[in-house]
Amino acid sequence: MSEQIFALGQTKELESTAFTFAERVSYLKQFGAHSQSFSTLQEGMQYFDAPGLGYVAYMRKWGCTFVLSDPVCAPENFGEILEQFHKRYPNASYIQVSKAVVDFMHLRFGLYGTQCGSESRIDLGKWSLSGKKKQILRTALNQAEKCGITVQERYSDDHTREISEAWIRTRKCKSNEIRFLIRPMEMEYSENERRFYAYQDGKAVGFVYFDPIYRNNEIISYVPNISRANADFRQGVFYTLMAHAMEAFKAEGVPYLDLGLIPLSLDSTTEHQESPLLKRILHGLYNRGNSIYNFKGLEFTKSRFRGDNFKTYCCHKRGIPVWEFLVMFKLTQVL
């Protein structure tokens, strides 16, 4: 397997020619199977386009290059497009990528591939609210019902910005909405995005925006990328919105629901290609860094859905990429 991955890099040099936006959307619908594939079309992204294969999406700041998600191409072509991208940006860091990307970048170029979190996928064909482990979900739904909460799917609502701004004021990071890792709430491209709003007494009190995940021009899953709730209403609005949306997707025959990144939800073991010191630092940040970001709360919330978890990684050239991480925090507007 390792030899096959390495062999993918032994290809003739590709000429990177800029796609039209329509061409890029076409690749997204065919190969956008990563939970962040849709987010690669957010404003401010740059692209390495490879005709006949797909594209790599990235942002640059202060001389650093950050790739978001796996390449939007067929998995068997990851090596070919990454080989050429690395020639152009040999010091690039790769954020929220799969093990297939990690294996290639480590074997071919010696990059570290360190787990930066987990993701979770729910099989909607097997989904239900029954079972002892989902009692918290049922309690939240019952509380919402008693408070007169209803859910509607709509494209927009007048209270969207009001709810979002009030929600941001309650966050540990208040200055700006996070970008890059979380796409903007309003994107110029929004095809097949789904929006669900929770209402109380006719006024919106929360919402979740879902992005499509594609394979072979079909939607195979959705991922909740933007969620907000009125700070004065805490009785399980997110759980209520999620449960309603999941039932809608299940009825439509959508096979999965992805929950997206669970940052710093890490396995206790260290893989051979990981940076051991960075892994320890990330463990420490999870345990002691909740004043910066609510890592534990987010992990708890997503764990209530009992999905199947899998690792997600960052690829980096230096064992301790201090400068790169600082620049990324500025890029994402965390700092």
Side-chain angles (χ1 to χ4, degrees):
M1 180 63 179
S2 296
E3 293 177 355
Q4 292 175 338
I5 294 173
F6 185 85
L8 289 172
Q10 311 305 310
T11 59
K12 62 184 180 63
E13 186 165 348
L14 300 170
E15 293 184 7
S16 180
T17 303
F19 294 152
T20 65
F21 189 77
E23 287 175 323
R24 203 166 286 123
V25 169
S26 178
Y27 280 107
L28 172 72
K29 290 182 176 180
Q30 190 171 3
F31 303 118
H34 191 281
S35 66
Q36 286 279 35
S37 293
F38 187 87
S39 291
T40 64
L41 296 185
Q42 65 182 280
E43 289 75 13
M45 280 288 185
Q46 298 182 58
Y47 300 97
F48 180 89
D49 297 324
L53 294 179
Y55 66 87
V56 175
Y58 63 97
M59 282 190 181
R60 305 197 74 216
K61 188 175 182 66
W62 296 349
C64 294
T65 303
F66 300 94
V67 173
L68 178 65
S69 91
D70 290 357
V72 179
C73 69
E76 59 268 25
N77 292 328
F78 281 177
E80 189 170 0
I81 196 169
L82 288 169
E83 172 91 10
Q84 300 306 317
F85 181 83
H86 182 80
K87 286 182 180 179
R88 182 170 296 183
Y89 299 109
N91 296 316
S93 300
Y94 300 75
I95 311 301
Q96 203 174 337
V97 294
S98 68
K99 190 62 162 59
V101 171
V102 167
D103 287 343
F104 177 79
M105 299 306 291
H106 177 68
L107 290 169
R108 181 75 177 101
F109 301 113
L111 267 63
Y112 292 94
T114 305
Q115 187 187 7
C116 60
S118 300
E119 296 195 45
S120 185
R121 169 166 281 189
I122 298 165
D123 184 338
L124 290 180
K126 301 176 181 178
W127 164 255
S128 78
L129 285 166
S130 62
K132 183 178 180 181
K133 294 180 179 179
K134 293 175 182 170
Q135 180 60 54
I136 289 178
L137 300 183
R138 294 195 298 274
T139 299
L141 289 168
N142 290 335
Q143 289 176 341
E145 184 177 2
K146 290 177 181 178
C147 293
I149 298 295
T150 59
V151 176
Q152 297 179 34
E153 182 175 6
R154 301 181 62 181
Y155 183 72
S156 63
D157 186 276
D158 292 341
H159 298 99
T160 297
R161 180 55 61 180
E162 175 188 340
I163 293 169
S164 183
E165 290 175 353
W167 179 86
I168 288 174
R169 287 195 295 270
T170 70
R171 301 297 93 187
K172 300 180 188 300
C173 177
K174 300 179 176 63
S175 57
N176 291 289
E177 293 186 47
I178 295 175
R179 65 194 291 254
F180 184 69
L181 293 175
I182 301 176
R183 56 90 164 174
M185 189 170 72
E186 298 295 337
M187 276 180 56
E188 184 174 341
Y189 177 73
S190 60
E191 184 181 6
N192 292 322
E193 178 194 54
R194 307 283 290 272
R195 301 182 177 188
F196 291 81
Y197 288 82
Y199 291 89
Q200 185 181 42
D201 299 326
K203 181 178 179 179
V205 293
F207 58 85
V208 179
Y209 293 180
F210 293 85
D211 295 342
I213 296 176
Y214 294 98
R215 182 183 295 135
N216 297 328
N217 297 301
E218 293 186 358
I219 295 173
I220 61 165
S221 184
Y222 287 96
V223 57
N225 223 329
I226 305 292
S227 62
R228 304 282 191 268
N230 188 320
D232 297 327
F233 191 91
R234 303 180 181 277
Q235 287 84 3
V237 169
F238 177 75
Y239 290 140
T240 301
L241 284 161
M242 287 291 293
H244 185 100
M246 290 165 72
E247 290 297 337
F249 299 151
K250 181 178 179 178
E252 294 167 8
V254 178
Y256 301 106
L257 189 285
D258 283 61
L259 295 177
L261 177 64
I262 311 172
L264 300 190
S265 175
L266 307 176
D267 191 277
S268 59
T269 60
T270 300
E271 299 175 23
H272 71 280
Q273 85 288 338
E274 292 185 291
S275 165
L277 182 53
L278 178 59
K279 192 76 174 283
R280 287 198 296 272
I281 291 172
L282 295 179
H283 276 296
L285 184 58
Y286 172 84
N287 290 321
R288 302 180 184 88
N290 273 258
S291 61
I292 302 172
Y293 189 87
N294 190 19
F295 300 110
K296 294 180 180 179
L298 182 59
E299 181 179 39
F300 176 84
T301 297
K302 293 189 177 183
S303 71
R304 298 307 90 191
F305 293 94
R306 317 305 300 181
D308 296 320
N309 287 8
F310 55 94
K311 298 178 182 179
T312 190
Y313 301 82
C314 57
C315 285
H316 47 103
K317 189 169 185 177
R318 296 191 294 172
I320 306 297
V322 176
W323 172 245
E324 290 85 348
F325 271 42
L326 287 173
V327 175
M328 188 181 72
F329 288 151
K330 291 295 291 185
L331 172 69
T332 58
Q333 300 183 148
V334 171
L335 296 178

